[in-house]
């Protein structure tokens, strides 16, 4: 093992399935309305996969990140996929992506921290890469949430969408993108958001029905986010010996535009420092932050190598939440 | 500041209303057009301000309802 090196973000990529469901489309089978959904969530539409599974989305996002970098896939030593909607328990989505992109030298595994998955996975990948012998790591957030939501529950079905984002990291001697982190979990409040419940079922157990659909307690999650997210952001900025004013952008998990507004208000930071794309994609769980990052780089708001200060903050099921302060 | 004045200030701030619009008999949903997320936010601020826990928003329809709830918790 070599000495601890620096880790920088080289490139990002995204992939969004083509099919769009507007709020209006949902009213065909749900008692809801565009006005209700957009005023309470900011969501106007979401992309829904019709045939592609999580590994397909993750693979295409990874291919886009790689195409943007010019890196030889054989130099990738690690692939982590953050997901709560894998194709299967085994093989992992990460192993499928590894096969699809032919990254034959990479170890690969999935990480589930629900909507905080990308923040968790980036933190893990950065640490593994910094002490490794390989040069590149891929961190992917990929979700087909349309598989796990209950399409007859209007309080949750309207919120989620499918998509994937990927980020390529490079071990190097000069540039450290990851400045500080503040990451937490509180399993004691885990029942506020559950999904994919799998109870004990074998010839020895009495039959019981399990509802594996995603279920959420809106107020508990709201309280959690409004209290924990501003604190996490404050803490990661303080640890970095910076002020909130020094941060160019706060990239929050895109769960709800009203939540983002509440966090911006609590931090007394202007809302335009909290970029949003939730109106187009809904809540894509672990994929939301890398998709947003890709779009900000694509449209030039964030320029790699320009030394901008960015905070990435994920929050959701677990409960798990956390912030990364990065320099790009 | 009285419980009412503190709560009035929170509501004015969260809903972007004038003080005069927020009186004891004001109904959140009907007169202030507050939705469930607005109520969560108001309750959240009130909990932090008074260091109490408001278990459910059910039954809290007017400013008076909340003032009464908070005063009972503080008693």
């Amino acid at each position: 093992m070599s000495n601890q090196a620096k880790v920088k973000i080289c490139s990002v990529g995204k992939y969004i399935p083509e099919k769009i469901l507007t709020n209006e489309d949902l009213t065909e089978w749900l008692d809801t309305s565009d006005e209700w959904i957009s005023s309470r969530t900011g969501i106007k539409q979401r992309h829904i996969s019709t045939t592609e599974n999580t590994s397909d989305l993750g693979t295409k996002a990874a291919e886009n990140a790689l195409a943007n970098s010019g890196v030889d896939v054989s130099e990738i030593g690690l692939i982590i996929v953050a997901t709560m909607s894998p194709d299967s328990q085994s093989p992992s989505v990460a192993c499928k992506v590894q096969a699809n992109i032919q990254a034959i030298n990479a170890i690969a595994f999935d990480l589930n921290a629900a909507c905080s998955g990308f923040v968790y996975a980036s933190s893990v990948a950065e640490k593994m890469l910094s002490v490794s012998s390989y040069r590149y790591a891929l961190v992917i957030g990929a979700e087909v949430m349309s598989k796990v939501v209950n399409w007859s529950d209007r309080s949750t079905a309207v919120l989620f969408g499918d998509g994937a984002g990927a980020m390529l990291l490079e071990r190097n001697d000069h540039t450290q993108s990851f400045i500080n982190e503040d990451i937490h979990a509180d399993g004691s409040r885990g029942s506020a958001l559950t999904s994919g419940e799998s109870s004990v079922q074998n010839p020895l157990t009495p039959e019981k029905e399990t509802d594996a659909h995603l279920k959420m307690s809106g107020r508990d999650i709201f309280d959690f986010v409004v209290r924990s997210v501003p604190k996490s952001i404050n803490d990661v900025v303080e640890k970095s010996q910076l002020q909130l004013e020094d941060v160019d952008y706060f990239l929050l998990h895109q769960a709800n535009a009203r939540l983002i507004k509440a966090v911006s208000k609590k931090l007394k930071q202007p809302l335009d420092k909290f970029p949003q794309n939730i109106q187009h994609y809904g809540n894509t769980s672990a994929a939301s932050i890398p998709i947003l990052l890709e779009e900000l780089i694509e449209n030039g708001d964030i320029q790699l190598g320009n030394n901008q200060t960015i905070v990435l903050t994920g929050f959701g099921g677990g409960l798990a939440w956390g912030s990364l302060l990065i320099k790009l | 500041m009285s419980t009412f004045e503190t709560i009035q200030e929170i509501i004015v701030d969260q809903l972007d209303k004038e003080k005069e619009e927020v009186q004891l008999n004001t109904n959140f949903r009907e007169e202030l057009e507050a939705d469930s997320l607005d109520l969560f936010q108001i309750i959240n601020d009130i909990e932090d301000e008074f260091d109490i826990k408001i278990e459910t928003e059910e039954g809290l329809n007017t400013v008076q309802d909340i003032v009464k709830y908070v005063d009972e918790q503080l008693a």
Side-chain angles (χ1 to χ4, degrees):
Chain A
M1 229 174 242
S2 57
N3 290 331
Q4 192 159 338
K6 291 174 172 152
V7 172
K8 79 166 186 185
I9 296 170
C10 309
S11 69
V12 292
K14 73 161 192 281
Y15 178 75
I16 312 291
E18 201 177 326
K19 174 73 182 165
I20 291 171
L21 278 184
T22 63
N23 292 345
E24 197 58 42
D25 292 335
L26 299 182
T27 63
E28 281 179 32
W29 69 87
L30 283 175
D31 180 15
T32 188
S33 69
D34 176 42
E35 195 280 324
W36 195 97
I37 299 171
S38 30
S39 68
R40 282 164 183 77
T41 69
I43 300 166
K44 302 294 286 180
Q45 60 171 51
R46 70 284 298 136
H47 290 247
I48 298 294
S49 178
T50 47
T51 54
E52 296 161 305
N53 213 330
T54 310
S55 63
D56 301 309
L57 272 50
T59 297
K60 286 175 180 162
E63 285 169 346
N64 288 332
L66 286 167
N68 293 340
S69 75
V71 165
D72 177 355
V73 287
S74 68
E75 286 194 87
I76 298 170
L78 169 67
I79 299 171
I80 306 180
V81 174
T83 186
M84 60 179 285
S85 55
D87 304 20
S88 52
Q89 295 298 327
S90 184
S92 65
V93 176
C95 281
K96 289 187 170 187
V97 171
Q98 188 243 25
N100 291 343
I101 65 171
Q102 298 180 309
I104 54 169
N105 296 315
I107 62 167
F109 63 93
D110 289 355
L111 179 156
N112 180 352
C115 299
S116 305
F118 189 76
V119 165
Y120 267 67
S122 299
S123 167
V124 171
E126 184 248 331
K127 282 165 196 63
M128 287 182 71
L129 184 58
S130 68
V131 294
S132 74
S133 56
Y134 44 82
R135 190 162 169 201
Y136 295 101
L138 259 177
V139 182
I140 301 166
E143 302 279 16
V144 178
M145 294 304 286
S146 58
K147 292 190 294 187
V148 301
V149 301
N150 179 352
W151 283 99
S152 56
D153 174 11
R154 65 175 178 173
S155 69
T156 54
V158 304
L159 302 176
F160 294 91
D162 303 337
M167 176 170 80
L168 185 70
L169 304 180
E170 181 188 18
R171 185 170 53 79
N172 73 103
D173 295 327
H174 314 289
T175 311
Q176 176 66 14
S177 300
F178 294 83
I179 309 302
N180 243 309
E181 64 183 34
D182 175 76
I183 302 182
H184 301 273
D186 179 3
S188 72
R189 291 186 283 164
S191 61
L193 198 163
T194 60
S195 176
E197 196 186 334
S198 152
S199 57
V200 179
Q201 271 183 342
N202 61 43
L204 307 180
T205 57
E207 278 200 25
K208 59 177 170 187
E209 276 183 32
T210 309
D211 179 4
H213 287 122
L214 184 144
K215 292 185 272 302
M216 183 172 88
S217 159
R219 182 171 163 213
D220 289 342
I221 293 292
F222 185 92
D223 279 355
F224 150 60
V225 175
V226 171
R227 292 204 168 98
S228 302
V229 168
K231 181 171 186 332
S232 172
I233 293 174
N234 266 321
D235 287 353
V236 81
V237 169
E238 201 170 297
K239 278 184 205 173
S240 313
Q241 293 171 320
L242 294 171
Q243 310 288 323
L244 291 170
E245 289 68 29
D246 299 323
V247 177
D248 292 293
Y249 289 110
F250 301 93
L251 271 60
L252 268 55
H253 163 52
Q254 303 286 295
N256 184 316
R258 297 271 295 274
L259 276 178
I260 294 172
K261 198 173 165 198
V263 171
S264 129
K265 192 168 180 179
K266 253 203 163 149
L267 290 174
K268 300 189 172 68
Q269 289 294 300
L271 193 57
D272 58 15
K273 283 173 76 172
F274 295 77
Q276 295 179 43
N277 61 10
I278 187 167
Q279 60 274 25
H280 304 302
Y281 305 119
N283 176 347
T284 56
S285 182
S288 78
I289 293 173
I291 292 171
L292 184 61
L293 180 61
E294 194 272 352
E295 294 191 337
L296 291 165
I297 292 173
E298 189 64 26
N299 71 20
D301 286 332
I302 294 176
Q303 286 162 334
L304 290 175
N306 230 0
N307 214 26
Q308 281 166 294
T309 303
I310 316 286
V311 172
L312 310 179
T313 302
F315 49 86
L319 301 176
W321 68 101
S323 300
L324 305 176
L325 190 138
I326 58 176
K327 290 259 191 194
L328 290 176
Chain B
M1 238 195 302
S2 70
T3 307
F4 166 67
E5 285 167 329
T6 307
I7 290 174
Q8 184 187 43
E9 201 164 84
I10 288 171
I11 296 169
V12 163
D13 176 54
Q14 282 300 347
L15 299 182
D16 241 339
K17 299 284 178 190
E18 298 299 326
K19 246 183 173 175
E20 297 69 44
E21 295 175 85
V22 183
Q23 298 303 323
L24 271 173
N25 59 356
T26 309
N27 184 300
F28 300 112
R29 293 178 186 81
E30 286 161 20
E31 292 167 70
L32 301 178
E33 292 171 335
D35 64 22
S36 54
L37 286 168
D38 291 320
L39 265 182
F40 292 168
Q41 201 150 339
I42 290 165
I43 290 172
N44 192 286
D45 282 358
I46 290 172
E47 287 180 335
D48 288 349
E49 184 64 39
F50 293 97
D51 197 20
I52 57 167
K53 176 86 190 126
I54 300 175
E55 294 297 339
T56 174
E57 68 278 13
E58 275 171 40
L60 302 178
N61 299 312
T62 63
V63 177
Q64 172 80 68
D65 293 336
I66 297 200
V67 171
K68 190 163 163 261
Y69 190 102
V70 171
D71 280 339
E72 280 170 9
Q73 296 280 311
L74 293 175

